Amino acid sequence: MRRSRLGELSLLAPGLGWLVAFFALPLTFIFVVSLGQRDQYGGVVLDHLSFANYLRALEPDFIPTVVNSFKYAIATTILSIAIAYPMAYWISRYGGKRKPLLLVLVMLPFWTSWVIRTYAWMILLRDNGVINGLLGIVGIGPFQMLNTDLSVIFGMTYGFLPFTILPLYVAIDRLDPNLVAAARDLYASGRAAFVHVTLPLTMPGIVAAAILTFIPTMGDYVTPDLLGGAQTTTVAKVIQNLFLSARDWPFGSALGFLMILITIAGTLAGLRFLRQEVIG
């Protein structure tokens, strides 16, 4: 029994070592720095540790930035699920032998740099861009598309859509079609069968897709910076500016640590819901 336990621990050791080295230790470092202060030269002073940076993050002037981050993340998550669910359903039910190819096509954008894809959206959305050019042919526009909230949401949705499609595809593909057929045999309409059978049974996939989309969206600063312009503020953009430009590492670490706590809390809530849905 003891040898078996040692064998189990030896299997866990590489993963635990990786988590300690690249998650626990950096997180501890960020937390310690967040308790310090910035000196006049941009250095970190740890003589008098306090939670002043966390209180600073809760000031009313910073609330609109937090609201913006949640607004973009929630809107992107909802739009991604609305687009991804039909796509995942079609691939699962009608993809046939082409399912592997279709899934590869879903992942294909990841083969290109995130920054390059974001710049491509800038070319599409700018005042003299591709979309306004096509609209001008039919006598419509031009419209202000770049540097707006919609451009940020569209860019994020495009970027994180594969994270939404894959868990939805897994949930839908594992659904037994006989359950839907049984509902139809009991005189349920197609809409009723979807609402009362397909949707509840694929809800774990929807929750997983929402988590996998919401978390990276909250931390994305490239898309709001390039597609939203200087007037678009998010927590991720502020953290990036504090570390690279303002040289205020303690406050940036406090904001980063708060985002990590919010992300962990949301993930645990989602996992608890998944457990209730799967296990009951």
Side-chain angles (χ1 to χ4, degrees):
M1 180 66 68
R2 186 175 181 180
R3 181 176 298 178
S4 176
R5 181 60 60 86
L6 290 175
E8 293 175 359
L9 292 176
S10 65
L11 293 175
L12 291 174
L16 291 176
W18 180 275
L19 289 176
V20 170
F22 297 102
F23 181 76
L25 290 180
L27 197 60
T28 303
F29 175 78
I30 291 175
F31 178 70
V32 172
V33 172
S34 71
L35 301 177
Q37 296 84 35
R38 174 184 180 273
D39 63 18
Q40 58 181 340
Y41 302 107
V44 179
V45 179
L46 300 176
D47 295 339
H48 304 286
L49 301 182
S50 69
F51 290 94
N53 291 309
Y54 291 93
L55 296 177
R56 180 181 170 190
L58 300 177
E59 293 179 355
D61 293 341
F62 194 68
I63 292 178
T65 301
V66 178
V67 171
N68 270 348
S69 296
F70 276 98
K71 176 180 67 176
Y72 291 140
I74 293 173
T76 299
T77 301
I78 294 175
L79 183 59
S80 296
I81 292 176
I83 296 174
Y85 198 100
M87 293 179 63
Y89 189 91
W90 190 91
I91 294 174
S92 174
R93 291 293 180 259
Y94 305 105
K97 296 181 180 180
R98 296 171 296 177
K99 285 183 182 181
L101 175 61
L102 294 173
L103 292 176
V104 169
L105 292 178
V106 168
M107 300 298 298
L108 194 61
F110 284 150
W111 298 3
T112 306
S113 168
W114 183 276
V115 177
I116 293 176
R117 285 185 283 152
T118 306
Y119 272 110
W121 271 99
M122 293 177 65
I123 296 173
L124 291 173
L125 298 175
R126 62 189 181 187
D127 293 343
N128 58 344
V130 176
I131 295 178
N132 273 319
L134 294 175
L135 293 175
I137 295 176
V138 295
I140 303 176
F143 297 103
Q144 174 68 33
M145 298 182 184
L146 196 60
N147 300 331
T148 63
D149 289 344
L150 286 178
S151 65
V152 175
I153 294 171
F154 288 157
M156 286 183 171
T157 301
Y158 165 77
F160 295 111
L161 193 59
F163 290 108
T164 317
I165 294 175
L166 294 180
L168 288 174
Y169 166 79
V170 172
I172 296 171
D173 200 55
R174 293 176 61 183
L175 176 64
D176 188 354
N178 292 325
L179 297 175
V180 179
R184 298 302 301 271
D185 289 341
L186 295 173
Y187 304 104
S189 63
R191 179 180 179 181
F194 175 79
V195 172
H196 297 290
V197 178
T198 303
L199 193 60
L201 291 178
T202 57
M203 186 58 67
I206 296 176
V207 176
I211 294 174
L212 291 176
T213 306
F214 183 85
I215 291 176
T217 304
M218 280 291 294
D220 182 21
Y221 72 90
V222 174
T223 306
D225 189 38
L226 296 180
L227 298 183
Q231 74 278 4
T232 302
T233 58
T234 63
V235 177
K237 283 185 63 176
V238 171
I239 293 175
Q240 185 260 356
N241 180 69
L242 288 172
F243 274 95
L244 300 183
S245 300
R247 300 282 297 175
D248 192 349
W249 285 29
F251 186 41
S253 297
L255 292 180
F257 197 80
L258 286 176
M259 284 194 66
I260 292 173
L261 291 180
I262 293 172
T263 300
I264 292 176
T267 302
L268 292 177
L271 292 176
R272 182 178 181 181
F273 178 83
L274 281 176
R275 185 176 181 180
Q276 291 176 349
E277 288 290 322
V278 175
I279 300 177

